[in-house]
Amino acid sequence: QVQLVESGGGLVQPGGSLRLSCEASGNSFSYFYMGWYRQAAGKERELVARIISTDGSTEYADSVKGRFTISRDNAERTLYLQMNRLKPEDAGTYFCNYVVIGTGWDYWGQGTQVTIAS
C-alpha cells in the first residue's frame, strides 16, 4: 500500500502561481510513475504531468507545457507541481497518483482544490 497526501491548493488569480505537494508513505517501490491528474467540474480526470522513477523523465499535457513543472524529492518521497501563469481552465481538483510499473497497482490521493478567480 502507498498513501498519498496532497497539499498546496487554494485560490489564485489568473496569471498567478501555486505549488502543489504530494507526500507518499507506506511501501516503497523501485519502478513507478508518480503524477498529477486534475478533474474540473463536469469533466473527466486528465493527466497533467508525471515522472518516472528510473531516470526522472517527465511527461506533460500539452495544455500545461512551459507553465507547469513536475519534480520529485526522492529522499522525502514528495512530489511537486509548480504551476505558473495559471489560467481559468487550470481550475479543478488535483490528484496525486502513484503507479507501480508492471503490477497494475495504482494509488490515488484525496485531491487538493485549485481555484482560479480574479
Side-chain angles (χ1 to χ4, degrees), residues 32-92:
F32 59 90
Y33 285 103
M34 281 190 81
W36 292 96
Y37 286 71
R38 68 185 178 195
Q39 188 167 19
K43 295 188 177 181
E44 293 186 355
R45 193 173 296 189
E46 61 175 356
L47 173 68
V48 176
R50 66 177 182 176
I51 187 167
I52 191 169
S53 64
T54 51
D55 63 1
S57 296
T58 57
E59 177 183 351
Y60 293 90
D62 288 342
S63 60
V64 307
K65 285 180 180 176
R67 299 188 297 121
F68 291 12
T69 303
I70 190 170
S71 61
R72 189 166 68 93
D73 183 323
N74 294 339
E76 298 296 326
R77 301 186 68 194
T78 302
L79 183 72
Y80 301 100
L81 185 69
Q82 178 66 44
M83 305 188 293
N84 298 327
R85 291 183 282 136
L86 283 159
K87 302 177 180 180
E89 53 264 40
D90 294 320

Side-chain angles (χ1 to χ4, degrees), residues 7-13 18-20 83 86 91-92 112-117:
S7 61
L11 172 65
V12 64
Q13 293 184 344
L18 279 176
R19 189 192 195 203
L20 305 183
M83 305 188 293
L86 283 159
T112 185
Q113 185 68 35
V114 172
T115 303
I116 317 293

